[in-house]
Each structure stands twice: as C-alpha cells, then as structure tokens.
Amino acid sequence: MTENIKLIALDLDGTLVNPEGIVSEANKAAVKKAKDLGIHVVLSTGRSLSRCQDIAESLGKSSYIVTINGGEIYDHEFNLVEQNKLEQQHIERLWELKQEHGLYFWTSTVQGIYNSQEPFDQQLAEYDWLKFGFDIEDDEIRQVILDELNANEALEITNSSPTNIEVNPVGVNKAAALLKVCGWLELNMDEVMAVGDSMNDMAMIKEAGLGVAMGNAQDALKKEAAFVTASNAEDGVAFAIEKVIG
C-alpha cells in the first residue's frame, strides 16, 4: 500500500506546523525527500491562501494548494482554479447566532479575513463568503449551535479544534477538493496519503488510501486513521512520510 502513494496531503495547524506555528527542519526535509521522489505534496488547510502562502513557498512548488477546507484551490503559480461560496441566507443566520450568544467569530471572504477583533466595515451582503467560524468555550452553547447547524443540510460542519466550529457549503471539504486535484493529476484517492489532526481533516482521512492521524489528533480522527503518527511537537509528519517512502 505504501509503495502506491503518489500524493501526500498535509493539514497545517496541529499537523505540519508545530505548536509554535513553525514547520520544523525535519518536516521540511521529509517533504523535500518526497518531492524529490516525484510524489506530489499538497497543503490541505482551513487557512486562506494569505495565511499559508509563505509556508507553501518555503516548501517549494506544489502542484495544487487546498485552502479554506476546500473553499478555494490554487495551482502551483497561486492562480485560483476552484472557489465555493456560502449563500447569503446562511451567513445572515450565522451572524444572528453570533449576536444572540455573544460569540467570537472569524470568517474568510473573497474580500479578506475578518474576526471579532477585526470586524467588517461594510454590510454583510457586500461580501462573498467562503467560510464562517465560531470559537465557543462553553460546551452547552457550542452544542446548541452545533445542533442547529448540523440540522441544516446545506452546510458542511467541521472543526479545527475541540472548541471551534467551521462552516462551509455542503459538499465542500478537503476530501472533495483532493478528489478534484487527483482528477487533474490523473491519480485516484487510493494513491493519496492524508495527514491531519481535527474534524476538518476527517473526510480526507477516510477517503484517502492511507489516512494518518497526528499523535495530538482528536480521538474521533484517530479511530478512523490507518495509523497514528507522532504529535506535531515531535515531527509527526516527517515520521509519517518516512514510514511511507522509507
């Protein structure tokens, strides 16, 4: 199985980057080794391009970059090749929930990134929305929000940490994005190793030929993974890559 891997998909936060937000030298070396062997290494992150382009550039050219949980996909020259927007009616309800419960929010829009510290300067309808997120420390309130959002069949609900909620349009996730990337590269998902730590990695962990959970991953992800590597503080990505390519 490991000899068949032709694409390695890597989440960023909690995965490729360490707790200090840095890509370790061991991880960089492992990525380079994989690329030198002709394996595609694709970043697959919840971040927007503006928040991951420097990391992508530091690792050398990649065939594609999946951002915003699949909300956008860019090619090796950072040209946009895929974009999936949230409908305005859903944004209005998400904003209502934010107001009703006094929640911390963040969002990725075509026009930029906004959050509770850097709020919007125009009306909601003036933006093109790609992802909306909450961070909710209170377990009961988080569950109330999750129950409503999960009941909405037009939305894809994940997280990138146990306390947050990430909202994309239904069907927009890292697995769907990687399936498109595989089509463009004439590969199939059986030839993909996906590495991640949170629920926004679940779809690609389940659909990849080899799904790998970080040692610091949420328990649900570990249960679905083919194996669990070391944590992001212990160069878990490098360990996983070495396990595949030797």
Side-chain angles (χ1 to χ4, degrees):
M1 175 171 60
T2 57
E3 295 176 356
N4 196 41
I5 298 302
K6 296 179 181 177
L7 187 153
I8 298 173
L10 301 174
D11 172 51
L12 280 182
D13 296 295
T15 302
L16 182 61
V17 300
N18 63 21
E20 288 72 48
I22 297 169
V23 181
S24 71
E25 291 304 315
N27 283 351
K28 285 182 180 179
V31 167
K32 182 179 186 302
K33 185 175 180 180
K35 288 185 174 183
D36 288 346
L37 290 172
I39 298 172
H40 298 276
V41 180
V42 173
L43 298 184
S44 185
T45 177
R47 296 190 192 190
S48 63
L49 181 66
S50 65
R51 295 187 58 242
C52 69
Q53 185 169 343
D54 57 339
I55 294 175
E57 290 175 337
S58 75
L59 296 172
K61 278 194 175 181
S62 178
S63 50
Y64 293 94
I65 301 171
V66 174
T67 67
I68 315 179
N69 295 339
E72 291 186 330
I73 306 173
Y74 293 84
D75 68 12
H76 67 286
E77 297 288 354
F78 303 113
N79 297 308
L80 181 67
V81 295
E82 175 85 13
Q83 188 176 75
N84 299 282
K85 300 175 187 177
L86 282 159
E87 293 182 15
Q88 185 66 31
Q89 62 184 14
H90 302 310
I91 292 300
E92 291 172 0
R93 180 54 186 154
L94 290 165
W95 189 252
E96 287 175 357
L97 289 170
K98 180 263 178 196
Q99 299 287 69
E100 289 170 14
H101 297 277
L103 303 176
Y104 180 90
F105 84 95
W106 79 93
T107 186
S108 294
T109 75
V110 173
Q111 290 76 19
I113 299 171
Y114 303 92
N115 56 44
S116 290
Q117 272 79 49
E118 300 178 20
F120 312 108
D121 51 14
Q122 301 180 69
Q123 297 298 312
L124 298 184
E126 298 298 316
Y127 297 90
D128 298 297
W129 303 80
L130 300 166
K131 183 177 75 169
F132 199 101
F134 298 114
D135 196 78
I136 309 171
E137 295 289 341
D138 188 294
D139 292 344
E140 291 185 7
I141 294 176
R142 189 185 324 108
Q143 193 58 53
V144 167
I145 304 299
L146 276 172
D147 288 345
E148 175 173 335
L149 297 181
N150 282 323
N152 188 331
E153 296 181 352
L155 302 177
E156 188 95 4
I157 310 302
T158 59
N159 74 38
S160 57
S161 81
T163 62
N164 79 23
I165 298 172
E166 298 191 348
V167 184
N168 287 88
V170 68
V172 176
N173 56 57
K174 294 181 180 183
L178 288 173
L179 189 61
K180 292 173 183 175
V181 168
C182 283
W184 299 329
L185 296 175
E186 299 184 344
L187 303 175
N188 61 64
M189 289 295 283
D190 288 341
E191 298 171 303
V192 174
M193 177 174 84
V195 189
D197 73 300
S198 297
M199 296 306 291
N200 63 358
D201 302 309
M202 179 65 85
M204 72 173 183
I205 293 291
K206 293 173 72 172
E207 294 298 324
L210 185 64
V212 181
M214 297 297 294
N216 52 287
Q218 295 177 41
D219 289 342
L221 205 72
K222 290 180 178 179
K223 291 177 182 176
E224 293 290 342
F227 73 89
V228 178
T229 186
S231 75
N232 68 322
E234 303 166 310
D235 303 325
V237 164
F239 182 86
I241 291 175
E242 290 293 339
K243 186 176 178 72
V244 170
I245 65 176

